Amino acid sequence: MSGSGKSSLIIDSLLPGLHASFQEKAGAREDEGEDGEGEIGFVPPQAEVEGVEHLDGYCVVTQRLARRFESSCVATYLGVWDGVRKMFAAQAEALEQGFDAGFFSFNSTGSCPACNGSGVVKRWLGSLPVQDRCSACEGKRFKRAVLEIRCNGYTIADYLEMSVSEALVALNEFPRIRKLLGTIEDLGMGYMGLGQSLTTLSGGEAQRLKLAKELGKNKKGRYLYVLDEPTVGLSYYDAEKLLVLLNQLVTDNHSVLVIEHDPYVLSYCDYLIELGPEGGPKGGTIIAEGTPEEWRMQARLPLGLGGVSDSNRMEGDAR
Ligand SMILES: [Zn+2]
C-alpha cells in the first residue's frame, strides 16, 4: 500500500546501511555514485545491515539519471560513442587529415562552429526564444570536413541519427557495443535514437537505459540490484522483457530487490515482504513475508497472487 513504508525501509534504511558498509570495504564498488546514488542524498544509516559479506557490491537503478548526464545523449551515456569516434579516427582519410577522435565529437574539436555542435541556432522572436536548424551544418552538428569522412558508407552524423536497432546492425562488428545495444533492444527500446538527448527520456526509459548500461558492465561476483517500481509506465509486453532480464541477473548469481506493488511482478519474486497494514502512521509493520507459494497456501489465494496487496485478505479471508 502507498505510504506503508516501502521507501523508508529500502531507500532510507537499507541503502544508507549498504553505502556505509561498502565505504569501509574499500574498492568493493569501483563505480560508486556514478549513477544517481549521489542524487539520493544518503543520510547516516539508522540500522546495521547484516549479510553484507555475501555481496561484492550493490547498484541502485532509479528512474532518474544523475545530473551530470544532462548534456549527454544515449550513445555518449552508454559509452558507445567513444568506440564510434575511434572507428572514424582510424579511417585512412581521417589519418591523412590528422583528425583524431576529438574531431568526431560534437562537443569538441569537430563541432560545427556556427552552432557549437548543438545543430540548432537560437534566435529571439520578441521575447520568445525560437530554435532554428543550423544552416552551416544543416543540423548535423559537425564541421563540413568531418562530415566528408565516411565509415562503411556512413558519416559520423548518420550514426548519431540511427536508432538503437539500426546501430545494432551497423556496429555489429564490436562485441561490447553489440551487447549493450542488444540489451536495449531486448528491453523494448530499439526505437531510441543514438543521438537522442537524455532529457527527452521518460523515467521508465531512463531506468531501463541505466539497467542496460549496468548489465553491459558484466559485473563479476554477487551484486545487489535495487529497483523502485521498475514496471511503472511499461506495457505488459515490455514489463515481461524487463522481468526476463532481471531473472538473468539472478541466474548470474546476483540478487534483485524490487519495490513494487504490481501482482504480476510480485509473482516473479522468490521472496516477498509486505508492509502495512495501512499507509502513513498506520504503516511500517511487516504484515506478511515468504515465498509466493507460501503466500498462496497461507491465504488460499488463487494462482496469480490476486489480492496480495490487499492486506485484509491476507488474514485468511480467502476469496
Ligand atoms: Zn551547425
Side-chain angles (χ1 to χ4, degrees):
M1 184 171 281
S2 287
S4 62
K6 298 187 293 290
S7 294
S8 305
L9 177 64
I10 307 304
I11 309 290
D12 301 336
S13 305
L14 176 68
L15 294 184
L18 285 173
H19 182 73
S21 306
F22 281 108
Q23 259 184 337
E24 286 166 22
K25 233 174 152 183
R29 286 193 77 239
E30 76 284 0
D31 54 348
E32 179 159 24
E34 186 204 326
D35 236 346
E37 275 95 312
E39 314 254 314
I40 291 174
F42 281 123
V43 290
Q46 302 288 313
E48 207 168 302
V49 180
E50 287 171 23
V52 177
E53 67 277 10
H54 299 297
L55 295 172
D56 294 302
Y58 72 102
C59 171
V60 190
V61 191
T62 59
Q63 296 213 347
R64 275 183 313 174
L65 295 164
R67 247 178 240 114
R68 67 188 185 85
F69 291 114
E70 261 169 21
S71 61
S72 303
C73 66
V74 169
T76 51
Y77 173 74
L78 291 172
V80 163
W81 200 237
D82 288 340
V84 176
R85 293 192 299 132
K86 282 181 194 149
M87 176 178 81
F88 269 89
Q91 300 299 307
E93 299 110 294
L95 292 169
E96 238 166 64
Q97 303 203 42
F99 289 173
D100 61 16
F103 274 83
F104 299 98
S105 163
F106 52 82
N107 48 24
S108 180
T109 339
S111 62
C112 163
C115 61
N116 287 320
S118 67
V120 290
V121 183
K122 209 191 239 179
R123 72 184 162 90
W124 294 87
L125 253 184
S127 58
L128 208 67
V130 185
Q131 287 196 333
D132 290 327
R133 200 166 72 143
C134 170
S135 54
C137 64
E138 293 172 329
K140 294 193 184 299
R141 310 171 76 164
F142 292 92
K143 280 177 182 159
R144 287 262 163 208
V146 174
L147 292 171
E148 295 290 311
I149 311 232
R150 284 179 182 267
C151 188
N152 302 324
Y154 299 111
T155 69
I156 187 82
D158 290 337
Y159 278 98
L160 219 45
E161 280 171 20
M162 284 181 193
S163 69
V164 164
S165 299
E166 288 164 340
L168 191 55
V169 178
L171 297 168
N172 195 44
E173 60 196 287
F174 302 101
R176 202 185 69 87
I177 295 180
R178 193 171 61 222
K179 178 165 194 280
L180 262 171
L181 299 182
T183 306
I184 295 173
E185 202 177 53
D186 287 346
L187 284 168
M189 301 193 299
Y191 59 85
M192 263 186 187
L194 277 197
Q196 189 175 343
S197 161
L198 295 191
T199 53
T200 64
L201 303 182
S202 72
E205 286 176 326
Q207 186 175 41
R208 282 179 290 159
L209 193 67
K210 219 160 146 174
L211 187 64
K213 188 178 176 176
E214 282 300 327
L215 293 169
K217 287 179 186 163
N218 254 339
K219 284 199 166 103
K220 295 279 172 275
R222 293 167 298 186
Y223 274 71
L224 174 67
Y225 289 83
V226 181
L227 293 94
D228 193 355
E229 300 195 30
T231 61
V232 165
L234 297 191
S235 66
Y236 179 82
Y237 179 73
D238 286 339
E240 177 77 41
K241 287 178 164 177
L242 177 70
L243 290 167
V244 167
L245 274 186
L246 295 181
N247 255 339
Q248 186 57 48
L249 281 173
V250 176
T251 310
D252 293 342
N253 286 327
H254 301 298
S255 300
V256 178
L257 180 69
V258 182
I259 305 173
E260 186 59 76
H261 24 212
D262 181 348
Y264 179 67
V265 179
L266 297 179
S267 71
Y268 263 80
C269 298
D270 296 318
Y271 201 83
L272 303 166
I273 298 172
E274 166 126 39
L275 290 172
E278 288 175 43
K282 290 183 178 169
T285 308
I286 293 178
I287 53 170
E289 61 180 314
T291 64
E293 202 47 47
E294 285 165 357
W295 281 47
R296 283 188 199 113
M297 303 287 282
Q298 188 185 336
R300 278 175 262 117
L301 286 174
L303 286 175
L305 280 176
V308 146
S309 50
D310 185 342
S311 52
N312 293 330
R313 288 195 192 122
M314 284 308 298
E315 286 154 15
D317 267 331
R319 280 189 297 175

